[in-house]
Amino acid sequence: MPTPDPHLDQLLRTAIQQTRLLQLRYRNKDRIVEPHDYGEHNGVIKLLTYQVAGSSSGPLPNWRWMETNLISDAELLDQTFPGGRPTASGKHHKWDKLLLRVKPTGKNKK
């Protein structure tokens, strides 16, 4: 399994566990995201985020895949988010190996 940068790995895990927004650069564009799923997909460590602000090629807020090796200048923000969001399809992405997933929001628990 590929190994993410240890500092970034810890930062992503903390953000997901504490449901805190992340400010980061991805492909040299500044973004603010809710980190939702973190894992390996097709041999690449990725983060599934819900982007709420920053540079974007499409409408925001929206779901975004991010390869962790293309993330830089990541920092935790004090602002939190409610937790897991329902997806349009109602299904989660299939990971080769899921490292961590944000907890669902209280009202969405089944």
Side-chain angles (χ1 to χ4, degrees), residues 11-12 14 16-18 20-21 35 38 42 47 54 56 60 68 70 73 79 86 91 93 98 104:
L11 189 96
L12 296 177
T14 300
I16 290 170
Q17 289 163 343
Q18 297 179 3
R20 285 170 61 186
L21 291 179
Y38 176 42
N42 291 339
L47 185 66
S56 175
L60 290 178
T68 57
L70 299 175
D73 302 329
Q79 187 180 349
K91 295 180 183 150
H93 177 78
L98 181 65

Side-chain angles (χ1 to χ4, degrees), residues 72-84:
S72 62
D73 302 329
E75 57 185 85
L76 286 171
L77 298 180
D78 291 333
Q79 187 180 349
T80 60
F81 61 99

Side-chain angles (χ1 to χ4, degrees), residues 2-104:
T3 322
D5 171 73
H7 176 74
L8 180 62
D9 177 73
Q10 188 56 53
L11 189 96
L12 296 177
R13 289 174 186 271
T14 300
I16 290 170
Q17 289 163 343
Q18 297 179 3
T19 60
R20 285 170 61 186
L21 291 179
L22 280 174
Q23 181 173 320
L24 52 81
R25 287 184 68 74
Y26 185 69
R27 298 184 184 272
N28 291 318
K29 293 184 170 33
D30 292 316
R31 300 161 196 254
I32 296 176
V33 300
E34 299 175 356
H36 281 264
D37 284 8
Y38 176 42
E40 181 183 353
H41 179 251
N42 291 339
V44 178
I45 303 289
K46 294 183 182 178
L47 185 66
L48 176 63
T49 67
Y50 193 71
Q51 186 178 339
V52 295
S55 181
S56 175
S57 57
L60 290 178
N62 210 343
W63 292 101
R64 296 279 186 264
W65 281 106
M66 296 186 173
E67 295 181 21
T68 57
N69 62 341
L70 299 175
I71 293 173
S72 62
D73 302 329
E75 57 185 85
L76 286 171
L77 298 180
D78 291 333
Q79 187 180 349
T80 60
F81 61 99
R85 292 178 174 273
T87 57
S89 68
K91 295 180 183 150
H92 272 281
H93 177 78
K94 297 280 187 250
W95 293 88
D96 300 335
K97 181 173 183 181
L98 181 65
L99 300 173
L100 198 59
R101 173 171 284 156
V102 77
K103 290 186 177 107

